Amino acid sequence: DADVTQTPRNRITKTGKRIMLECSQTKGHDRMYWYRQDPGLGLRLIYYSFDVKDINKGEISDGYSVSRQAQAKFSLSLESAIPNQTALYFCATSDVRGRETQYFGPGTRLLVL
Amino acid sequence: GNSVTQMEGPVTLSEEAFLTINCTYTATGYPSLFWYVQYPGEGLQLLLKATKADDKGSNKGFEATYRKETTSFHLEKGSVQVSDSAVYFCALLISGNTGKLIFGQGTTLQVKP
């Protein structure tokens, strides 16, 4: 079984709709992250959470919100989707030690029409 | 600010050719450096890492040396295989305990038989 899972894997939605992307992990890590990947731009950090009560904005948080429901679950919401939020979204986890590796989920491909 | 710059792709090589993918960085403090690989349709996987100057990371025949004097972390492999075809991302972990990764834009490698 995968250590970091994301649902859905693919999603098509319309402008203005609210959608939620979910991430679950079985690695027992405290830290979780949401990134988006755009062609030619690499991955950019949207939000990150160091534990259930600690949530921080990344470099591109506008238009997004998150919820850390439990240590193992971290959800990303688009309150009112717009076409330039079309991207590949990745969840990642890491151990509490600052230099530890991040482990990525398989990604969610989102298309906003 | 902190940033990572990778060579433009795509890189197309024949099987058994020598691979170099250049990566340079700008960072305050003493970052850790990483190479991640993304195979088609999958999430990112850690390929190798180095946590201090002059460290060499290696895995699956790939190597990269952390060069503080040239702020570089170039990825090399002596003999590539078709199965190495993927997108390669160079990344730095900001020093301190933030856990925030900064990614380069990615370099696509295509290896032909």
Side-chain angles (χ1 to χ4, degrees), chain A residues 40-100:
Chain A
L41 294 179
L43 278 75
R44 293 179 292 167
L45 184 64
I46 306 172
Y47 271 95
Y48 61 104
S49 170
F50 285 175
D51 63 40
V52 174
K53 297 181 180 178
D54 181 12
I55 292 177
N56 306 277
K57 292 182 177 180
E59 61 179 306
I60 54 163
S61 60
D62 288 349
Y64 301 94
S65 63
V66 290
S67 173
R68 186 81 183 267
Q69 300 96 322
Q71 186 200 37
K73 297 185 181 296
F74 192 37
S75 300
L76 176 72
S77 294
L78 286 66
E79 297 301 326
S80 179
I82 56 176
N84 77 0
Q85 291 178 312
T86 293
L88 187 54
Y89 290 84
F90 286 105
C91 175
T93 74
S94 72
D95 191 84
V96 67
R97 287 169 289 174
R99 292 175 181 270
E100 196 54 55

Side-chain angles (χ1 to χ4, degrees), chain B residues 45-87:
Chain B
Q45 305 172 24
L46 178 68
L47 181 59
L48 53 84
K49 66 180 181 182
T51 58
K52 60 183 187 295
D54 299 325
D55 269 3
K56 178 185 284 189
S58 61
N59 186 26
K60 298 181 181 180
F62 291 89
E63 294 183 339
T65 301
Y66 188 163
R67 302 284 188 197
K68 190 168 182 291
E69 64 276 12
T70 54
T71 62
S72 65
F73 192 54
H74 303 322
L75 182 68
E76 297 182 335
K77 186 174 186 182
S79 176
V80 293
Q81 305 300 313
V82 173
S83 58
D84 293 326
S85 298
V87 182

